[in-house]
Amino acid sequence: MDLLDTLTDKGLRRELPTREEALAVLATTDDELLDVVAAAGRVRRQWFGRRVKLNYLVNLKSGLCPEDCSYCSQRLGSKAEILKYTWLKPEQAAEAAAAGVAGGAKRVCLVASGRGPTDRDIDRVADTIAAIKGADEQVEVCACLGLLSDNQAERLKAAGADAYNHNLNTSEGTYGDITTTHTYADRVDTVTKAHGAGLSACSGLIAGMGESDEDLVDVVFALRELDPDSVPVNFLIPFEGTPLAEEWNLTPQRCLRILAMVRFVCPDIEVRIAGGREVHLRSMQPLGLHIANSIFLGDYLTSEGQAGQADLDMIKDAGFEVEGTEQTTLPRHRAAAAGGCGGESACGSGASACGDHSEDAGCGTGACGPCGGHRAEADEAGADEASADADEARTDLVRVRRRGAGTELAPNA
């Protein structure tokens, strides 16, 4: 297929595809799906070999957020029956992080609900980072605390944070449809602040909120322009009690096309399958590993993922390996610019391989913790788009988190 040959060649050269080519990936048919995965897989292996980076979420403060993000179970006015608690103590967070590290996680993501941190909150997180790195200095720590004020990114960097997550979530043109309490520009500003402070920038999207193919391509191209080191791709989990509770727009095939499009646009960037992986990819999760090189281990912020051991078994059975702390996540040319985040030594295969806001990054709303959305035209059989009929929506897979951080139950790592 000429399209896939072109996209593969561009990905191997780190050349940006055209918008038309990115849109064409989303418009491919189910008959072409394995070819799409194989093409994206060649690009993935060139820059990341067969390694899978494991990340682990710790929800430092859950629920009661004053923002009105429609996708989020922690939003203002949410009736989702999620866990609600204020800040974990540093030792509690460190204990939760240790469970993920013991399961093979290389990065711990510290997330807190709210518009953004106060200076006192930055102090709290600094103490938590110290506790985590005091137990294991090789662990990468990514903070996701919302909108940052001046000098807060620098303070997090000085405290030992390696990265900062703040997702764009959707296109600038449709951002106002999902959130009114802050702007798309606010999010871009926070990613820019993190980058400027020397933190590894992590920023991604949420798919499945009713957006169009054009919206998806817009946000991924905007992310490419921001040049983050990692891009989490979240698939909306339609939580009961949120405005998007009925948005069941995704199929496993659609999710794989979205991941492939992101890989072609961001060939040498860490692409992470984030929230909604289990709900929407389901039995096709292993195919996602041929495109993305990173996943979350175990549970998300407010929803439960599959068992951590099941994640590890899936990686092994699919012929991949868990990335170790001694390995560099990013290719050499990116690792140097990012300060080598991901490890000290180069690794991988191929000539060039080597190594948010609180409701983002895997909150169980899309994980962000995140497209389904509306195709401009259906394909000839209409099979690419699943209807949102109740009998097709796998609502049985949406489970509110009742274990791990903030509870007396052991984490699922």
Side-chain angles (χ1 to χ4, degrees):
M1 182 176 187
D2 290 343
L3 169 68
L4 296 179
D5 289 341
T6 298
L7 287 169
T8 300
D9 288 344
K10 286 186 173 183
L12 297 179
R13 298 195 306 266
R14 293 188 288 135
E15 182 180 335
L16 186 67
T18 65
R19 285 182 51 84
E20 291 71 23
E21 288 165 344
L23 285 167
V25 174
L26 298 178
T28 53
T29 67
D30 285 352
D31 287 342
E32 299 165 322
L33 183 61
L34 288 181
D35 293 331
V36 172
V37 172
R42 279 195 63 195
V43 178
R44 180 248 202 267
R45 290 191 300 277
Q46 165 74 10
W47 302 111
F48 300 98
R50 301 190 69 82
R51 293 172 286 113
V52 178
K53 182 175 182 176
L54 297 181
N55 309 267
Y56 188 70
L57 285 161
V58 177
N59 199 359
L60 297 178
K61 181 165 76 78
S62 182
L64 308 174
C65 182
E67 303 297 286
D68 68 353
C69 306
S70 300
Y71 50 82
C72 186
S73 59
Q74 304 186 75
R75 72 187 296 272
L76 177 69
S78 171
K79 293 181 172 54
E81 297 180 355
I82 62 168
L83 292 168
K84 298 181 179 66
Y85 53 85
T86 189
W87 290 92
L88 297 180
K89 295 178 180 178
E91 59 270 22
Q92 293 174 308
E95 182 179 1
V101 173
K106 181 175 179 177
R107 171 174 288 190
V108 172
C109 303
L110 303 177
V111 189
S113 64
R115 178 179 177 84
T118 65
D119 287 342
R120 183 183 178 191
D121 294 336
I122 296 292
D123 290 338
R124 287 189 178 102
V125 175
D127 290 342
T128 298
I129 293 171
I132 292 171
K133 294 215 168 188
D136 188 339
E137 62 182 12
Q138 291 186 301
V139 175
E140 294 178 21
V141 175
C142 178
C144 178
L145 311 173
L147 300 172
L148 291 175
S149 301
D150 290 344
N151 300 317
Q152 289 186 328
E154 287 79 4
R155 291 180 61 195
L156 288 169
K157 175 70 174 177
D162 299 286
Y164 196 83
N165 166 263
H166 199 66
N167 295 332
L168 296 187
N169 291 330
T170 192
S171 68
E172 182 175 12
T174 59
Y175 196 84
D177 295 336
I178 64 165
T179 304
T180 66
T181 48
H182 61 268
T183 67
Y184 178 91
D186 291 332
R187 286 186 173 267
V188 171
D189 178 66
T190 286
V191 178
T192 303
K193 281 185 169 75
H195 229 326
L199 293 167
S200 177
C202 173
S203 187
L205 64 140
I206 303 175
M209 298 189 290
E211 67 283 341
S212 67
D213 284 3
E214 288 76 11
D215 291 322
L216 278 173
V217 171
D218 282 348
V219 69
V220 176
F221 271 66
L223 287 166
R224 170 69 184 247
E225 188 172 346
L226 282 175
D227 197 32
D229 293 319
S230 58
V231 174
V233 180
N234 303 282
F235 301 112
L236 177 74
I237 301 178
F239 257 91
E240 290 295 330
T242 65
L244 298 184
E246 302 304 319
E247 290 287 340
W248 288 91
N249 301 309
L250 295 171
T251 65
Q253 295 86 352
R254 173 71 169 172
C255 293
L256 290 171
R257 290 188 191 95
I258 293 167
L259 288 170
M261 186 269 287
V262 175
R263 173 55 72 200
F264 289 130
V265 177
C266 305
D268 59 339
I269 292 173
E270 176 190 342
V271 175
R272 183 180 312 141
I273 314 177
R277 164 168 62 93
E278 299 86 347
V279 175
H280 295 295
L281 278 170
R282 301 192 289 276
S283 62
M284 295 178 75
Q285 290 180 64
L287 282 180
L289 296 178
H290 288 271
I291 305 171
N293 62 297
S294 180
I295 64 172
F296 281 110
L297 177 73
D299 293 332
Y300 301 96
L301 298 183
T302 62
S303 66
E304 293 183 356
Q306 66 188 23
Q309 187 59 51
D311 288 335
L312 298 176
D313 290 343
M314 175 182 70
I315 291 168
K316 181 178 179 181
D317 291 347
F320 293 89
E321 62 183 30
V322 173
E323 183 176 291
T325 56
E326 76 286 355
Q327 296 173 306
T328 303
T329 299
L330 298 173
R332 287 186 180 90
H333 61 276
R334 291 196 65 90
C341 187
E344 295 299 325
S345 61
C347 64
S349 63
S352 301
C354 98
D356 354 308
H357 190 201
S358 50
E359 74 267 17
D360 303 335
C363 56
T365 67
C368 60
C371 243
H374 310 305
R375 293 271 305 270
E377 296 180 23
D379 65 19
E380 51 190 82
D384 283 339
E385 288 298 328
S387 69
D389 292 344
D391 60 342
E392 295 185 2
R394 289 298 304 276
T395 56
D396 60 302
L397 295 178
V398 181
R399 300 186 182 91
V400 174
R401 183 173 69 83
R402 300 297 184 200
R403 60 197 174 202
T407 78
E408 295 181 354
L409 300 177
N412 184 27

